[in-house]
Amino acid sequence: MSTENKYAVIGAGPSGLAGARNLDLAGIEFDGFESHDDVGGLWDIDNPHSTVYESAHLISSKSTTAFTEFPMADSVADYPSHVELAAYFRDYADAHDLRKKFSFGTTVVDVTPTGSIWTVTTRSRDGETTSAAYRGVIIANGTLSKPNMPTFPGEFSGELLHTSEYRSAEIFRGKRVLVIGAGNSGCDIAVDAVHYADSVDLSVRRGYYFVPKYLFGRPSDTLNQGKPLPPWIKQRLDTLVLKQFTGDPVRFGFPAPDYKIYESHPVVNSLILHHVGHGDVRVRADIDGFDGDSVHFVDGSVSDYDLVLCATGYHLDYPFIARKHLDWAGAAPDLFLNVASRRHDTLFVLGMVEASGLGWQGRFEQAEMVAKLIKARTDAPAAAREFDAAAAGPPPDLSGGYRYLTLGRMAYYVNKDAYRAEIKRHIALLDSALTKDAVLTKGGQ
């Protein structure tokens, strides 16, 4: 088949596999491209673009994270390691025969529209470039690829790294370590460092809510399942529960949060407060600047370090396509439901969404909506036009009633219940139209 009748899928991580699976189910032809030589994306630690480290595990439990159609085995831990997750994605690809749809060791270097066709240029491992025309493009290369490396006044004479460069806690052996940033990765790595470093400090700019991985003997994210509680009730109830389990982190030196729980992503970690409480990790203020091996903090204190590791997150990065095609606004593209371009009706992004508890099933539903929309453009055009009208109108409220912090890293954050409900609503509308069309077509034969 000519590539002009196909879609190009970029990436074979969780979102790319979800896209491939749903396109395959819908009978839509596509070619997939993956720069690594296997599926799994960042969860394959052997992938040169992976940002996971040896101790990395899910911060959500397997039952709330896995694809619904492909549950993780009972033998898999509640919070799987990257090793188990890499195997899970390989098994998923094999179970649905998805590998044959991807060209591995192939990097997409340019995506450019020409009329209604997209020219996709790729580069092989040996440097050979190839261009082909495609009907549409689905971008699914993930959100954790371009490190957000801050700059500070002065110069640090020791090792200065970003978490994207971190793999093994051996780098901390015998060193005075400072971790900048107390998000999930920062706290995980500080806990790693405790067992190797001479000292571990954690620089914190704002307050956090710390959620243990287990509450009442169960993975904490498996509680309160079902119909969501109103935000004000859930925030009050869960804040009370956390105080009973973790106490007040302020007494350990953490700043008090200036926001309510769930207005930013909580830190899911059962060990960081344990180690702070035991004196293994010392909480420090925000950074004021560097001077040789000395770090100055905004509270006026100064300490010396051998290694500073910045757990400061990532920027969205789709380097192969001009930002205008994604209607990039601020820290993230402005896409309908974080998925569909309003400028090009054959351009989509999968996985550009963050929400506590969304899991990979939430990404799968994104892909299901996209596949049904592509199908509707030819088989049920009236339904596709209704989707386009919704995309052109006022954006739906995906906050679920929560007042999220206005930070760059929250630019594509949503409430999982509000988001999934809206995605499922569009899936149902498209599915109904496609089913009706199939019945009419069969009746006319």
Side-chain angles (χ1 to χ4, degrees):
M1 177 178 286
S2 167
T3 59
E4 290 191 9
N5 294 317
K6 295 183 177 182
Y7 268 74
V9 176
I10 303 172
S15 294
L17 291 176
R21 170 65 171 152
N22 278 282
L23 291 178
D24 207 33
L25 285 170
I28 298 167
E29 291 292 329
F30 68 94
D31 290 332
F33 301 100
E34 167 58 49
S35 60
H36 186 41
D37 51 18
D38 206 349
V39 301
L42 68 84
W43 291 106
D44 182 350
I45 200 170
D46 294 326
N47 184 339
H49 298 289
S50 174
T51 56
V52 300
Y53 34 91
E54 289 180 356
S55 64
H57 289 70
L58 278 180
I59 61 169
S60 55
S61 65
K62 66 179 182 181
S63 62
T64 63
T65 308
F67 295 127
T68 300
E69 68 169 1
F70 201 74
M72 295 188 195
D74 291 341
S75 59
V76 174
D78 287 339
Y79 293 94
S81 71
H82 66 87
V83 175
E84 293 172 299
L85 295 172
Y88 173 79
F89 291 117
R90 289 193 292 268
D91 291 345
Y92 183 80
D94 290 341
H96 301 299
D97 201 18
L98 299 178
R99 291 175 189 272
K100 67 183 182 182
K101 299 286 188 175
F102 283 88
S103 295
F104 294 99
T106 304
T107 301
V108 174
V109 295
D110 187 72
V111 172
T112 302
T114 305
S116 61
I117 296 297
W118 293 87
T119 300
V120 176
T121 303
T122 60
R123 183 176 60 240
S124 66
R125 285 272 171 79
D126 60 12
E128 181 181 356
T129 59
T130 303
S131 294
Y134 284 89
R135 174 184 169 195
V137 175
I138 297 174
I139 298 171
N141 64 309
T143 61
L144 303 178
S145 58
K146 185 178 181 180
N148 174 27
M149 189 65 174
T151 57
F152 301 99
E155 292 187 9
F156 181 63
S157 60
E159 294 179 81
L160 180 62
L161 303 173
H162 187 270
T163 51
S164 60
E165 303 170 87
Y166 172 66
R167 289 294 181 272
S168 169
E170 279 288 344
I171 66 169
F172 300 130
R173 188 175 295 279
K175 295 177 182 176
R176 300 164 297 176
V177 174
L178 173 66
V179 178
I180 300 176
N184 281 287
S185 293
C187 289
D188 276 354
I189 294 170
V191 169
D192 282 356
V194 161
H195 305 287
Y196 292 82
D198 280 356
S199 65
V200 182
D201 287 1
L202 184 64
S203 172
V204 182
R205 183 166 52 182
R206 59 171 51 86
Y208 291 86
Y209 291 92
F210 295 89
V211 178
K213 288 194 168 182
Y214 287 90
L215 287 169
F216 306 108
R218 292 172 52 189
S220 55
D221 63 355
T222 63
L223 304 175
N224 295 332
Q225 295 296 304
K227 186 177 181 179
L229 295 171
W232 69 273
I233 294 179
K234 183 169 177 58
Q235 286 173 316
R236 288 186 181 182
L237 178 63
D238 288 6
T239 299
L240 179 62
V241 169
L242 282 186
K243 283 185 177 180
Q244 298 301 314
F245 274 84
T246 65
D248 186 359
V250 172
R251 76 184 186 89
F252 292 127
F254 287 99
D258 57 359
Y259 56 93
K260 296 179 181 178
I261 192 171
Y262 304 128
E263 292 178 349
S264 181
H265 207 301
V267 175
V268 184
N269 190 302
S270 297
L271 295 175
I272 186 63
L273 296 183
H274 168 88
H275 284 295
V276 172
H278 284 72
D280 301 327
V281 177
R282 182 172 51 165
V283 179
R284 306 301 300 265
D286 195 13
I287 307 298
D288 188 44
F290 296 149
D291 182 13
D293 64 356
S294 297
V295 177
H296 295 253
F297 299 93
V298 295
D299 62 2
S301 61
V302 182
S303 288
D304 296 338
Y305 300 97
D306 303 300
L307 188 153
V308 173
L309 188 141
C310 296
T312 46
Y314 296 82
H315 296 295
L316 284 176
D317 189 33
Y318 306 117
F320 42 76
I321 186 170
R323 288 192 167 203
K324 65 181 180 181
H325 299 306
L326 295 170
D327 288 318
W328 207 293
D334 180 19
L335 305 174
F336 181 56
L337 298 178
N338 291 19
V339 174
S341 167
R342 296 181 179 88
R343 182 185 295 257
H344 304 282
D345 63 10
T346 55
L347 176 64
F348 305 94
V349 177
L350 298 179
M352 195 199 80
V353 60
E354 287 293 337
S356 181
L358 185 65
W360 293 314
Q361 182 59 25
R363 280 79 171 173
F364 185 95
E365 289 160 6
Q366 287 183 322
E368 184 180 3
M369 182 186 72
V370 168
K372 291 185 184 301
L373 176 60
I374 293 170
K375 195 77 172 173
R377 294 218 183 276
T378 54
D379 296 353
R385 287 194 294 270
E386 288 183 16
F387 181 94
D388 293 339
D397 181 5
L398 303 176
S399 70
Y402 293 90
R403 297 180 179 180
Y404 296 122
L405 298 182
T406 55
L407 303 172
R409 64 181 174 82
M410 302 290 290
Y412 47 100
Y413 203 91
V414 299
N415 172 261
K416 73 174 178 68
D417 297 307
Y419 186 76
R420 291 185 69 181
E422 189 66 14
I423 292 285
K424 287 179 178 180
R425 186 176 74 84
H426 284 285
I427 290 173
L429 290 171
L430 292 164
D431 205 29
S432 176
L434 288 166
T435 301
K436 182 178 179 181
D437 175 81
V439 170
L440 291 173
T441 301
K442 185 176 180 181
Q445 289 179 344

